[in-house]
Amino acid sequence: MKKTHSKLFIPGIIMLGIVLRTPFTTLPTVLSDIAAGLGVDVSSLGLLTSLPLLTFAIFSPFAIQFAKRLGIERLFFLVLIAITIGSAIRIINLPFLYLGTILIGAGIAFLNVLLPSLIQANRPRQLGILTTLYITSMGMSTAIASSVAVPITKATSWQGLVNILTALCALALVIWIPNLRYNHRLKKAATTESSSKWYTNKYVWAIMIFGGLQSLLFYTSMTWLPTMAVQSGLSKVESGLLASVFTLISLPFSLTIPSLTTRLSDRNRHLMLTIVVGAGILGVAMLLIPTSNFFYWLVLNALIGSSVSSLFPYLMVAFSMKSSTPEKTAQLSGLAQTGGYVFAAFGPILFGYSKSLFHSWTPAIIMLLVLTIIMAIALYQVEKVDHIL
């Protein structure tokens, strides 16, 4: 495979990180404005939050085949075109809003799966720092976009907000163009031998379970913790502050975890992961104690937020660390993320349904706690081996 890369490779990585979440995570903050503008009930737009996750799960398995045929850099160029078009057409009407969201989700699914392979193919010795770059840019852009979405919408309209998001996608597309000269094509031979029998590899199943439950814990917590806080007696202002803590706490971890994962000794990495998973288990367990104490809720949000914010960048680096070639990195990433987003899409729905069924959060919390412990066991299995594929 080619070892050279464009001078705009790193700016391209940063822009890919921005595109990974911002085009669709920004809109839920202004759903009422979108509903008013389209003349529909706000409840009819609820699918906008889960639709991208479903498209991630549906389209992730196709990423590797397209990368083999087109090459990663060329495929990313086409993906960015699709994302830009998808973002632009959302302002037309309700059907195009959903169609555009599907296009965005499909494109991001390819980026999710292949970014670790892209880094390994171009700069394999900088896995930690480059993973840090795109995850940090993803987190910062998401936080900034969510905070300015309402003021932008009030100053212009929800269409104005979408146009700005489209401009960001178009900028990423332009910056990515120089990378087309250094196209890395995944080898078709990667489907032979052990790679073709992934389903008999228990460690592949372990990373799939870990990735899926990590996603489930993140999206379920992000969706329901604010509501649970309000129902426990906290004000909406306090709940909003807790949600900000849960989101912003990801930034220091996205800056440090990728590099720590690649640089720490096996023993110290295991210790780090034990602390991280332990924080998540403790935070979920704290939900079983009913209280309206703000500090208590602040601690549990910080514990769960720090746990999921650490486990995601670890997972992104693990795809490269636990595989021997960019082709196998892509396969491992595709398998884990396909299963992961299925969990992520249905986890929050079932968590909320449990509350309606039992008229209590307790059964759902207990199940979430059990799943978090299973996640920890799966992570232990992942860390037992140096290479999975």
Side-chain angles (χ1 to χ4, degrees):
M1 296 184 75
K2 299 177 182 178
K3 299 299 180 182
T4 54
H5 49 264
S6 165
K7 292 181 180 180
L8 288 181
F9 178 69
I10 290 180
I13 287 287
I14 294 172
M15 291 306 300
L16 289 174
I18 293 173
V19 171
L20 273 176
R21 293 294 181 271
T22 306
F24 74 90
T25 57
T26 309
L27 294 193
T29 58
V30 293
L31 279 185
S32 58
D33 297 277
I34 297 175
L38 293 174
V40 299
D41 189 88
V42 70
S43 61
S44 66
L45 300 179
L47 188 60
L48 284 179
T49 57
S50 57
L51 188 58
L53 300 178
L54 290 172
T55 54
F56 291 171
I58 293 169
F59 288 95
S60 291
F62 301 103
I64 299 174
Q65 293 303 320
F66 276 95
K68 289 176 182 177
R69 294 179 182 179
L70 300 172
I72 304 176
E73 284 83 355
R74 188 175 298 168
L75 175 59
F76 277 19
F77 175 70
L78 297 176
V79 160
L80 288 170
I81 292 176
I83 291 174
T84 303
I85 293 173
S87 181
I89 65 175
R90 289 182 295 177
I91 64 174
I92 298 175
N93 55 33
L94 185 60
F96 276 96
L97 175 61
Y98 282 116
L99 177 60
T101 301
I102 292 172
L103 278 175
I104 291 170
I108 292 175
F110 283 21
L111 300 182
N112 279 331
V113 171
L114 295 171
L115 258 170
S117 291
L118 175 75
I119 294 172
Q120 190 176 20
N122 283 274
R123 292 190 172 184
R125 296 182 180 180
Q126 295 181 304
L127 289 174
I129 188 169
L130 291 179
T131 303
T132 296
L133 273 179
Y134 84 77
I135 291 178
T136 301
S137 63
M138 180 181 71
M140 290 187 66
S141 62
T142 300
I144 293 171
S146 296
S147 64
V148 301
V150 173
I152 290 175
T153 301
K154 288 183 177 179
T156 57
S157 63
W158 73 269
Q159 290 95 335
L161 174 64
V162 172
N163 286 335
I164 292 175
L165 296 174
T166 301
L168 278 175
C169 298
L171 178 61
L173 172 63
V174 172
I175 291 177
W176 191 252
I177 290 174
N179 292 290
L180 292 174
R181 292 181 56 195
Y182 307 92
N183 192 39
H184 293 80
R185 196 183 300 268
L186 295 184
K187 297 177 181 178
K188 294 184 179 182
T191 57
T192 62
E193 301 174 357
S194 61
S195 295
S196 63
K197 298 182 179 179
W198 63 265
Y199 48 85
T200 64
N201 187 331
K202 67 177 183 179
Y203 298 108
V204 171
W205 285 102
I207 200 169
M208 287 172 66
I209 293 170
F210 166 67
L213 294 180
Q214 178 272 145
S215 294
L216 182 145
L217 178 60
F218 172 73
Y219 285 102
T220 301
S221 301
M222 183 179 66
T223 302
W224 289 110
L225 283 183
T227 300
M228 295 172 68
V230 170
Q231 292 185 2
S232 71
L234 273 66
S235 68
K236 289 185 178 180
V237 173
E238 290 173 324
S239 175
L241 180 59
L242 292 174
S244 298
V245 170
F246 184 88
T247 301
L248 294 175
I249 202 170
S250 67
L251 296 180
F253 291 102
S254 63
L255 283 168
T256 55
I257 293 296
S259 295
L260 287 174
T261 300
T262 57
R263 294 178 182 178
L264 289 176
S265 65
D266 289 349
R267 180 179 178 181
N268 289 336
R269 188 175 69 252
H270 295 163
L271 177 60
M272 176 188 74
L273 292 171
T274 300
I275 295 172
V276 164
V277 172
I281 293 173
L282 177 58
V284 174
M286 289 176 68
L287 290 169
L288 291 169
I289 301 176
T291 178
S292 59
N293 184 280
F294 174 78
F295 180 74
Y296 185 89
W297 277 92
L298 179 64
V299 171
L300 75 84
N301 270 268
L303 287 171
I304 299 174
S306 61
S307 181
V308 295
S309 298
S310 301
L311 293 176
F312 176 71
Y314 161 79
L315 181 64
M316 295 298 102
V317 175
F319 292 142
S320 298
M321 289 180 61
K322 301 292 182 178
S323 54
S324 55
T325 66
E327 293 77 20
K328 292 181 179 180
T329 297
Q331 185 182 28
L332 194 60
S333 176
L335 289 170
Q337 295 199 60
T338 298
Y341 287 116
V342 171
F343 278 108
F346 291 103
I349 297 172
L350 295 176
F351 194 85
Y353 177 74
S354 175
K355 172 62 164 63
S356 301
L357 181 65
F358 296 104
H359 304 289
S360 169
W361 289 110
T362 301
I365 294 170
I366 292 174
M367 181 54 65
L368 187 62
L369 181 60
V370 170
L371 291 175
T372 304
I373 294 171
I374 294 174
M375 179 192 73
I377 296 171
L379 175 58
Y380 171 74
Q381 292 296 319
V382 170
E383 279 293 300
K384 284 176 66 175
V385 291
D386 291 330
H387 285 94
I388 295 176
L389 287 178

